[in-house]
């Protein structure tokens, strides 16, 4: 396997449980190593901010830019990529996006507050963020 292939196991196979255990064990061993590396990366970015982000982008993505803004993909390029997708894949991605959004809408929380008799105001303010960077390591799913 090159690491880009998806391993498939059939639940109807007689040795399904054995194959699944082997797959989960292998990924579990790798997860500890990945978690350690990711923790180091997060710590570096917390300490050094954008400078660390640019350095890590050069190291892992082989992209050499001077500013974080230069990492932003222009809307026109995103639109071109979308237009170039196979129609079936585009529908599948749209369906997945819709399902994910519907699922997470059910998780939305609302801000609230109240005032105690002594005048103390208590509450919780929920504020959405405009953008976020994420790292999604390969896993068991």
């Amino acid at each position: 396997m090159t690491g880009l292939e998806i391993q498939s196991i059939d639940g109807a196979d007689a040795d399904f449980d054995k194959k699944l255990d082997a797959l989960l064990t292998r990924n579990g061993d790798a997860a500890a190593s990945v978690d350690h590396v990711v923790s180091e990366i997060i710590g570096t970015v917390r300490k050094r901010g954008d400078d660390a982000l640019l350095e890590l982008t050069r190291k892992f993505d082989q992209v050499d830019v001077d500013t974080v803004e230069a990492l932003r993909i222009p809307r026109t390029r995103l639109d071109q990529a979308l237009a170039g997708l196979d129609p079936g894949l585009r529908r599948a991605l749209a369906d997945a996006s819709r399902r994910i959004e519907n699922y997470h809408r059910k998780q939305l929380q609302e801000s609230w507050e109240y005032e105690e008799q002594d005048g103390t105001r208590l509450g919780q303010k929920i504020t959405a963020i405009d953008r976020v960077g994420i790292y999604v390591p390969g896993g068991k799913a």
Side-chain angles (χ1 to χ4, degrees):
M1 247 183 207
T2 65
L4 299 175
E5 299 166 12
I6 296 175
Q7 185 173 353
S8 176
I9 58 176
D10 189 331
D13 288 347
D15 61 347
F16 172 78
D17 289 335
K18 182 179 173 184
K19 287 180 179 177
L20 181 61
D21 286 343
L23 182 64
L24 294 176
T25 299
R26 184 194 73 207
N27 287 342
D29 293 343
S33 173
V34 169
D35 287 347
H36 176 73
V37 172
V38 170
S39 292
E40 285 183 357
I41 290 170
I42 291 170
T44 300
V45 173
R46 280 187 177 144
K47 287 179 191 166
R48 297 186 32 234
D50 288 352
D51 288 338
L53 181 63
L54 294 171
E55 178 183 306
L56 292 164
T57 299
R58 282 189 286 277
K59 177 180 178 180
F60 292 116
D61 301 319
Q62 288 77 51
V63 174
D64 190 5
V65 294
D66 294 326
T67 66
V68 171
E69 186 60 33
L71 295 171
R72 184 184 304 262
I73 300 170
R75 184 78 206 166
T76 54
R77 188 166 171 206
L78 294 173
D79 291 340
Q80 288 172 343
L82 183 61
L85 285 178
D86 172 81
L89 177 58
R90 187 171 176 170
R91 279 191 303 278
L93 290 171
D95 287 345
S97 175
R98 179 186 44 77
R99 292 180 68 197
I100 291 166
E101 184 175 346
N102 287 341
Y103 174 83
H104 288 293
R105 282 196 184 281
K106 295 184 183 328
Q107 295 178 310
L108 287 176
Q109 298 180 9
E110 294 184 10
S111 297
W112 54 268
E113 69 176 53
Y114 68 95
E115 190 171 317
E116 292 281 335
Q117 287 182 343
D118 66 359
T120 304
R121 292 178 57 173
L122 302 169
Q124 172 177 291
K125 181 169 175 74
I126 306 296
T127 305
I129 55 178
D130 290 327
R131 65 182 71 101
V132 64
I134 61 170
Y135 168 71
V136 182
K140 300 174 187 167

